[in-house]
């Protein structure tokens, strides 16, 4: 059974940083691309970043480009999201998800999801 467990969320002030962690089990982690998504209040879930199986190719939504960084450690079956210069607009539930292959295209075709972690950024 595949499980993805996010952690690291919390309440921070604008300009602060947070690092989210997603630990996976039951998945041949090093074979699959991974992504981070978020659901802001009153909005649908949207992709913010993705990374291919080896970590050599990444995608970022324009809203987070230059502020967020996705990385992965295949030895630890873990994907990370470093979030810097947080803004109130980043307030959302953040989810990690796995893709069906080692690449993240199509961006919206995902296999397994975590339960999410809340990030709240106060102004």
């Amino acid at each position: 059974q595949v499980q993805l467990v996010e952690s690291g969320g919390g309440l921070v002030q604008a300009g602060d940083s947070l690092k989210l962690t997603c630990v996976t089990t039951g998945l041949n982690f090093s074979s699959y691309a991974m992504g981070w998504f978020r659901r802001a209040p009153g909005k649908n879930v949207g992709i913010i970043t993705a990374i291919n199986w080896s970590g050599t190719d990444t995608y970022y939504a324009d809203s987070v480009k230059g502020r967020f960084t996705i990385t992965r450690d295949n030895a630890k079956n873990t994907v990370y999201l470093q979030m810097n210069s947080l803004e109130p607009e980043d307030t959302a539930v953040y989810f990690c998800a796995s893709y069906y292959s080692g690449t993240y295209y199509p961006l919206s075709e995902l296999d397994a999801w975590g339960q999410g972690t809340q990030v709240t950024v106060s102004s």
Side-chain angles (χ1 to χ4, degrees):
Q1 182 181 0
V2 176
Q3 286 191 314
L4 289 74
V5 180
E6 303 95 335
S7 62
L11 172 63
V12 297
Q13 293 186 328
D16 285 351
S17 298
L18 273 178
K19 187 172 185 177
L20 305 185
T21 298
C22 173
V23 179
T24 72
T25 56
L27 177 70
N28 188 10
F29 182 79
S30 61
S31 295
Y32 295 98
M34 299 293 295
W36 284 96
F37 296 73
R38 67 186 180 188
R39 184 178 64 235
K43 296 186 178 181
N44 292 327
V45 172
I47 185 170
I48 52 176
T49 182
I51 189 168
N52 73 337
W53 68 276
S54 63
T56 56
D57 187 26
T58 55
Y59 163 88
Y60 293 95
D62 288 343
S63 58
V64 305
K65 203 171 292 184
R67 300 188 298 124
F68 290 12
T69 303
I70 186 171
T71 57
R72 66 188 295 157
D73 185 337
N74 286 347
K76 295 183 178 180
N77 296 335
T78 301
V79 61
Y80 305 96
L81 180 63
Q82 177 67 47
M83 305 186 292
N84 298 330
S85 303
L86 283 162
E87 304 167 352
E89 293 73 23
D90 295 317
T91 294
V93 179
Y94 284 72
F95 303 87
C96 69
S98 60
Y99 285 85
Y100 284 106
S101 74
T103 63
Y104 50 76
Y105 289 108
L107 283 170
S108 61
E109 291 193 3
L110 297 144
D111 185 11
W113 291 79
Q115 83 291 346
T117 185
Q118 176 71 47
V119 173
T120 303
V121 185
S122 64
S123 57

